[in-house]
Each structure stands twice: as C-alpha cells, then as structure tokens.
Amino acid sequence: MAPAPTKTPSQAASNAATARSQRRSVRATSWRRGPPPPVGTGARIAEGAGLGPGALTLAPGGRYRPLVVRFSMSEITTLGWSFERDVEAFAAAGAPGIGLSLRKLEAYGVPRAARRLHEAGLAASCLVSSGGFPLGDAAGERRALERTRAHLAAAAELGAGCLLVLPGPASALSWEEAAGRARPLVEVLLRDAEQARVRLALEPVSQLRVDLGFLHSFDEALDFAEAFGSPWLGVVLELNNAWVERRLYANIRARTARIAIVQVSDFKVGTMSASDRVVIGDGDIPLRRLCGALAEAGYDGWYDIELLGPAIEAEGYEAVVPRAIARFRGLWT
C-alpha cells in the first residue's frame, strides 16, 4: 500500500484555520441571543456550520436531517485533566464544542475561560451540573439557589446553550413533597434564565443516585418540566439512562422541543453499577436508531459526549477522546 501523502505546513495550517472557522460558525447558533429555536431547523444549523445544502437529507415527514450535527465533548469525560488541557485536546480532536465542568470552570475563572474558548474556536454547549438543592432544608435551599443563579450568570457570559440543573434529592420526603419543594426554586431560576437567555436543563439521574435528585427518568422529568409552561425549561435526554424507558420514542417524537441537550455514551448489558459507561459503539445501546429518531423528530440541538467510569480511566483520555468523536460521527453516516 502506498503511503498517504504528507501535508505541507501551509496545508496543515489552512485545514486548522478552516476547522476553527466552522467551530465558530456553529457557536454563533447558540441560544444566548434569543429564545430556544423551534424544532425542525436543521437546515439553518447546517448553513450556520458552513456545511451547505449537500449536508442534509430529507427525512420521513419532510423534515431535514443534518448529516453533521452540533456536538461537544464533556469535561466530565476527562476528569483528571485541567481545563486548559481539555480545551487543547478537544479542539485538536475536531470537536466543535465543549461541555463545561463547573468544578474546572470555577478553578480556571469564567472571564479567562471565555477568552480561551474564543481563541480555540470552541462553543460551550452546556455547564454541568448545578442545583443539588437539599430539599426540605430551607437554609440549604437558599444557599444552593444563590449558587445556581451565579452559575446561570456564568453560562450567559460563556454563551452556553444551557445550564444543567439537578433539582435535588428527596431525602426522607415523598416524591410529591420533593417536587413541591423544588417548584418554587425552579420558578425563581426561570426568571433569571429568561433574562440571561440561557435555558435550564433538568437532569434526571439513575435510581442508584438518589443522593443527586428525585427525577429518575426522562418521562417523569418531561412531565415535571411541562407543568411550568416555560420554553426556558428543558430536560436532559441522557441516553445511558433513558434508552430502556417505556414511551421513549413517543416522547422523542411528541416532546422534542422540551429536549435541552442529549448526553451520549454507551452501556454494556450486565453492568451492575451507576456511572460505568463505555465509548460509543463499545456497548449495547442502539445509538444509531436513537439518533435517527431524534433527527426525524426535528431535534437539532447539542449532543454532548459524556463518558466516565473504569473503562474510560483504563483506556486513557488520550485514546478515548478522538475515538469517541470518530464513533459519534460514524452514527450519522
């Protein structure tokens, strides 16, 4: 086999500049300048990414299906790396966006992070995760609310698509009691979210993580969110948790506009613990089918690749990041 042609320095620089330009074009489609876009706007997203009309196919029902979508690599994937190293590695691997860890962001500084992301041409898809209200503890709820309001301001400064919010654990409360405590907190945040032009994304968690929240399925989180009637409140579709849910595909079709972001990873059947994920394609989730269903429903928001667990740590971030990005792109071909 003949060796691949070697790129000249000028060609490599040109390719890098084109990639940065495309990432910045995708960044310009974030929701910070207006309300969440309606579903079925894949053509506009593709045009904003500099992809042109050839990047789209017409899906059943007459909706456009983008062949290249907005995706980010989450800093949760690389827990052991610094903010600076994440930015360098994600940009080098070709990710147009980054899912920001609040812990890393607070250590690095928001203004400094905004400058660094601009230099790298990376868009902020989301901030992960705020909230965590200690429901039933009035003083603790107030403190957590103020922290979350500060995180919302940071998301606005960074132009993030959404702020992920854990509404809080129920502790000894019933589900209904926990929901009753969480509602006024969310109502306060929604006023700030509308002013900041940043969407809140309620994050359901595994039933093994009752320490994090009382919402444990995509379906119940949708019901909880829709009771507010606000376009500034959405729900995280975390595929590792939701892929076996009843009514999942019906919810994707009927309640697409309520999806704030899609978290993508894979799961191996037989896994017996929470937060034990694998690289896309290494597990058993029908990700190609799920992504197809989302595209056909008109979803054109961010997909955030969020991997964590023993398999990710064992393989090493240097290998995981580019492999996960390549596998995600492969879902659309």
Side-chain angles (χ1 to χ4, degrees):
M1 181 182 294
T6 302
K7 293 180 181 178
T8 67
S10 61
Q11 289 173 325
S14 175
N15 290 345
T18 300
R20 286 194 297 272
S21 175
Q22 289 178 344
R23 288 197 293 269
R24 289 190 177 110
S25 294
V26 172
R27 185 178 188 174
T29 65
S30 91
W31 295 347
R32 66 187 183 275
R33 298 188 184 279
V39 299
T41 53
R44 178 164 51 78
I45 295 298
E47 289 168 2
L51 302 174
L56 300 168
T57 58
L58 195 62
R63 294 182 184 273
Y64 281 104
R65 176 186 297 179
L67 295 183
V68 180
V69 297
R70 292 188 296 172
F71 73 92
S72 56
M73 177 61 69
S74 173
E75 289 191 288
I76 303 302
T77 301
T78 52
L79 283 173
W81 278 359
S82 66
F83 179 89
E84 187 67 41
R85 189 168 183 186
D86 287 344
V87 171
E88 292 176 358
F90 296 176
I98 181 170
L100 295 167
S101 156
L102 279 167
R103 179 179 61 83
K104 293 185 183 183
L105 183 63
E106 289 170 346
Y108 194 76
V110 174
R112 186 181 174 202
R115 291 192 297 272
R116 186 66 188 93
L117 294 181
H118 178 74
E119 292 167 358
L122 285 176
S125 63
C126 60
L127 270 63
V128 183
S129 292
S130 191
F133 312 112
L135 300 175
D137 173 359
E141 288 173 357
R142 287 193 296 270
R143 289 192 295 270
L145 179 61
E146 289 309 306
R147 287 196 303 271
T148 304
R149 295 177 81 179
H151 294 156
L152 192 54
E157 184 172 346
L158 292 162
C162 62
L163 172 68
L164 273 62
V165 175
L166 293 163
S171 300
L173 303 177
S174 69
W175 192 97
E176 291 77 12
E177 290 168 336
R181 298 289 305 195
R183 283 190 187 101
L185 301 171
V186 175
E187 286 170 354
V188 171
L189 290 172
L190 281 172
R191 292 195 290 269
D192 288 355
E194 183 171 3
Q195 184 175 2
R197 318 302 280 180
V198 175
R199 206 175 192 194
L200 298 178
L202 294 175
E203 186 174 8
V205 295
S206 164
Q207 289 184 328
L208 294 175
R209 298 307 309 270
V210 294
D211 57 311
L212 296 178
F214 70 93
L215 296 175
H216 299 294
S217 73
F218 179 55
D219 188 61
E220 72 173 343
L222 286 169
D223 288 345
F224 182 78
E226 286 182 346
F228 292 87
S230 171
W232 295 100
L233 185 62
V235 173
V236 178
L237 174 51
E238 204 280 271
L239 296 180
N240 202 281
N241 194 47
W243 71 286
V244 292
E245 280 189 28
R246 183 185 182 192
R247 292 191 293 266
L248 174 60
Y249 291 93
N251 278 327
I252 287 173
R253 288 192 300 272
R255 303 203 267 187
T256 317
R258 194 61 66 182
I259 302 173
I261 194 166
V262 178
Q263 287 183 336
V264 188
S265 61
D266 213 338
F267 172 90
K268 282 190 176 181
V269 172
T271 298
M272 301 297 288
S273 62
S275 303
D276 188 356
R277 305 178 185 180
V278 295
V279 172
I280 295 164
D282 288 357
D284 299 293
I285 300 179
L287 291 169
R288 185 183 294 274
R289 178 185 180 186
L290 284 163
C291 289
L294 284 158
E296 288 175 11
Y299 176 76
D300 53 17
W302 285 99
Y303 293 79
D304 190 42
I305 303 170
E306 187 187 83
L307 310 174
L308 68 163
I312 305 306
E313 297 297 321
E315 182 172 346
Y317 306 147
E318 294 88 349
V320 163
V321 169
R323 192 162 75 87
I325 289 174
R327 290 284 183 83
F328 177 80
R329 286 188 168 128
L331 296 173
W332 303 91
T333 59

